[in-house]
Structure formats: structure tokens, C-alpha cells
Amino acid sequence: QVQLAESGGGLVQAGGSLRLSCTTSGLNFAAYALGWFRQASGKEREGIACLSWVGRNTTYYADSVKGRFTISRDNVKQISYLQMDSLKPEDTAMYYCAADRFGGASCTERDMDYWGKGTLVTISS
């Protein structure tokens, strides 16, 4: 049974940092592209950071987070991370991790095979 679970969300002041983690089980971790998506209240879910499976070497960042967020993967612990720096109030959203078998870094919601349930990030001004 494939499972993804996010953790690390919380309340942070603007300018602060937060690291989200996505633990996985039941899948061949290295064969999956990893993605982080977010959905703010009243808006559609969007891909913000994605990393291809280990057989490729591509990444994607949405313009809104480029230079501030970093996606990475630990292939031993089978965990995906999203390091979030210089946080802004507009980063407030529910954050989801996802996995795409043999995927690149398209960061397209329809390509994702598995999803976590989300972790809430709130940035105060």
C-alpha cells in the first residue's frame, strides 16, 4: 500500500523558514519524481517544486517560490523535503507532496500518481 505523509507545517512569521518533510512507503522511491503542491484558500492547487526520478536530472520551481524554496530527496530514508526560506504571507496554504512514477519535473497535477493529505503552513505578517 503506497502512502505519503507530510509533516512540518505550522505558523511562522514573515521572513522565517520552515522545512516540510514527506515520508513515503510502499513504493520504489528512486523510480518516482517528487512534487510539492500548495492550495491557498479560494484558489486552485498549483505545483511549486518538483524533482525528477533519479534516472533523470531535472527540477522545476514556480516563479513565486524560485530562489526561496528548495526541493530535495533522501534516497536512503526515502523522504522528500521542501526547504522554505524568506517566507511571505502569500505562502500561506495547504501544502501537499506527490509522487509520479518515472516522472520528470513537469509539476503537473494530473501526472501525479500518489498524494499525501497535506500539511498547513500559515505565515503571519
Side-chain angles (χ1 to χ4, degrees), residues 11 27 30-31 40 42 57 62 68 74 82 84 87 102 106 113 121 124:
L11 175 63
L27 76 169
N57 192 28
R68 299 188 298 120
D74 185 328
L82 183 67
M84 309 162 66
L87 285 161
F102 293 116
S106 66
D113 299 311
V121 172
S124 61

Side-chain angles (χ1 to χ4, degrees), residues 63-103:
D63 289 342
S64 58
V65 307
K66 193 173 297 181
R68 299 188 298 120
F69 291 9
T70 304
I71 186 172
S72 63
R73 63 191 300 157
D74 185 328
N75 293 319
V76 176
K77 296 181 178 180
Q78 301 189 44
I79 298 175
S80 170
Y81 299 101
L82 183 67
Q83 179 66 44
M84 309 162 66
D85 298 320
S86 301
L87 285 161
K88 304 175 180 179
E90 51 262 45
D91 294 319
T92 296
M94 185 73 73
Y95 283 72
Y96 301 87
C97 67
D100 172 19
R101 187 169 183 265
F102 293 116

Side-chain angles (χ1 to χ4, degrees), residues 3-25:
Q3 291 185 310
L4 280 69
E6 305 91 341
S7 62
L11 175 63
V12 181
Q13 292 191 37
S17 296
L18 201 62
R19 188 180 75 164
L20 305 183
S21 300
C22 177
T23 59
T24 68
S25 63

